[in-house]
Amino acid sequence: MTIDIYPEIVTQDDLSPDEGFGSEVDDLCQQIHDATEGWGANKDKTIEALATQDATRRHQISLRYKELFQKDLRDVMKKEFSGDLGNALQFLACPADEAECRMLKKAMDGIGAQANVIFAIMTGRTNSEMERIKRTFFKLYTKDLGKRLAGELHGDMERLIFNCLQAGEEEYDPQYHTKEKALEDAEEVHKKGQGKFFGTDERGIYKILCAAPPEHIENINQAYADKYGYTLMKALEKELGGNAEKASVHMIGMKLKPYPTIAKLVKSACAGIGTDELLLTTCIVRYQTVMKDGKFGSVAMHHDRFLYSIQCCMRAPHVSSDARQTDGLNYDSKGGVSR
């Protein structure tokens, strides 16, 4: 199946924060409280207490902080910090599913949706995570996520995202998802795309690819390449364009090679003139759990570099010289990443 990016604690809906998560979590909550109490928040101490924790511990902190101090931790971060750093700390102060919903809303607010953030969150997800995203979005904003997305997306991009919203990826069954079935689906994808005399049936292609589990996608990809001379990704690049192309390729990548695909997305946020701060921040926060798996090769961002990655993305001038020597990045005089 498609990889999970949520820590296990997210699915434990019966958590009781009043029972506590141990003295270490309470100590971290106290550190954050002390750093943000009174006039002027201490940025360094807040980052040290919050951004250096893994996703499970941050989930525990978000629950326990409210129990101890009768304040929502995200509200505290919003009040005390602004700009890109404020956004990052607000995301870090939420459970993973809530953070993603807030990322989606951030990407849809204002004039023009930030499509790369939307498709990064909405494509290549497990059925259970997609269902949780929809429920959590409604819980936070009392609005249907599908309706909100419909007001922001158009054309092929909208069709792809709405297929993903259905959370309809099939469970792999080797007796059903056979090599013969893979060839049949490969031929159908070609018929609706490269082999179609006029236009492309994007809806039909998305229906097949969104429903196919990773093992079946791999077989479809092989069958397509054997029969037509190029891969599914290349076929999608030929048939689609713009954000729809990027989103479709990302979805297939998350099913075939999730870790290189995540690394490619992170790299894209830093490409060109100027960093895409929102995309980079959301990637670092969302993928922290799987970044520790050691499957990224030379572009891996390990847990002990997480704090410094957040600081880099915010162009934070307080990145220490020791951190600059150990995280493998090149910095300019203001703490930003030089290229």
Side-chain angles (χ1 to χ4, degrees):
M1 296 295 288
T2 300
I3 64 168
D4 292 292
I5 67 169
Y6 287 163
E8 186 177 349
I9 193 173
V10 171
T11 64
Q12 298 172 1
D13 294 322
D14 60 343
L15 289 170
S16 301
D18 56 307
E19 297 177 2
F21 298 105
S23 59
E24 187 175 348
V25 170
D26 284 3
D27 289 345
L28 290 167
C29 289
Q30 187 65 56
Q31 291 174 36
I32 295 169
H33 179 71
D34 293 344
T36 55
E37 190 73 0
W39 185 85
N42 189 314
K43 176 171 54 179
D44 292 338
K45 289 185 177 180
T46 303
I47 290 173
E48 184 64 30
L50 184 58
T52 57
Q53 310 307 314
D54 65 21
T56 297
R57 182 53 52 86
R58 287 189 280 105
H59 189 117
Q60 293 171 338
I61 290 171
S62 70
L63 296 177
R64 186 62 174 158
Y65 190 93
K66 188 170 186 177
E67 180 69 23
L68 291 173
F69 303 109
Q70 292 75 53
K71 295 179 181 179
D72 185 273
L73 182 57
R74 176 188 166 272
D75 291 341
V76 174
M77 297 299 105
K78 183 177 181 179
K79 177 183 176 182
E80 298 295 337
F81 303 99
S82 60
D84 295 319
L85 177 60
N87 288 333
L89 289 173
Q90 287 179 54
F91 297 148
L92 289 167
C94 301
D97 54 339
E98 180 180 330
E100 286 197 314
C101 290
R102 295 191 183 282
M103 292 170 188
L104 284 169
K105 184 175 184 299
K106 184 75 174 176
M108 291 186 285
D109 284 346
I111 301 175
Q114 188 159 341
N116 54 5
V117 174
I118 294 174
F119 75 64
I121 296 173
M122 297 299 296
T123 65
R125 303 303 296 272
T126 65
N127 293 343
S128 60
E129 287 185 349
M130 182 58 70
E131 293 292 355
R132 180 167 289 275
I133 289 171
K134 291 189 288 186
R135 290 196 306 269
T136 304
F137 193 91
F138 187 83
K139 179 180 177 181
L140 288 173
Y141 305 113
T142 61
K143 292 182 180 179
D144 181 78
L145 177 58
K147 291 182 178 179
R148 181 67 203 274
L149 287 166
E152 301 292 338
L153 304 175
H154 308 283
D156 294 342
M157 178 75 169
E158 181 183 4
R159 282 186 278 273
L160 172 61
I161 297 302
F162 271 79
N163 265 282
C164 294
L165 264 175
Q166 304 310 308
E169 183 180 278
E170 300 165 349
E171 184 175 351
Y172 179 65
D173 179 355
Q175 294 185 337
Y176 173 71
H177 297 105
T178 61
K179 294 293 179 67
E180 292 75 21
K181 172 65 173 171
L183 177 59
E184 178 185 328
D185 285 345
E187 291 173 341
E188 192 67 17
V189 169
H190 184 267
K191 178 182 176 181
K192 295 177 182 298
Q194 288 285 296
K196 199 169 188 294
F197 178 73
F198 181 77
T200 301
D201 181 3
E202 295 89 354
R203 193 186 304 274
I205 292 174
Y206 292 152
K207 183 177 180 179
I208 294 171
L209 299 182
C210 290
E215 300 90 341
H216 189 52
I217 283 285
E218 186 173 352
N219 290 333
I220 294 174
N221 187 56
Q222 186 62 57
Y224 199 99
D226 289 344
K227 184 158 187 176
Y228 303 110
Y230 44 84
T231 64
L232 275 178
M233 286 190 181
K234 182 60 67 175
L236 292 172
E237 289 171 356
K238 286 175 175 289
E239 283 300 301
L240 304 172
N243 289 322
E245 174 196 329
K246 295 175 184 177
S248 301
V249 169
H250 180 79
M251 179 188 70
I252 297 299
M254 288 299 293
K255 295 193 180 205
L256 289 176
K257 297 180 178 180
Y259 299 99
T261 299
I262 293 169
K264 182 180 178 181
L265 185 67
V266 173
K267 183 178 178 181
S268 73
C270 305
I273 300 174
T275 300
D276 186 333
E277 307 286 1
L278 182 58
L279 178 60
L280 182 57
T281 302
T282 56
C283 284
I284 292 171
V285 174
R286 293 179 59 235
Y287 295 129
Q288 184 200 7
T289 303
V290 296
M291 280 178 177
K292 296 188 294 178
D293 288 349
K295 299 178 181 178
F296 285 83
S298 61
V299 294
M301 295 183 187
H302 299 292
H303 177 55
D304 58 353
R305 299 177 187 171
F306 179 60
L307 167 63
Y308 308 121
S309 298
I310 285 285
Q311 293 172 335
C312 295
C313 123
M314 298 308 129
R315 295 294 188 266
H318 56 278
V319 179
S320 69
S321 59
D322 288 342
R324 298 179 193 188
Q325 292 171 5
T326 60
D327 69 1
L329 300 172
N330 297 316
Y331 294 86
D332 59 32
S333 60
K334 295 183 178 180
V337 181
S338 61
R339 300 178 178 84

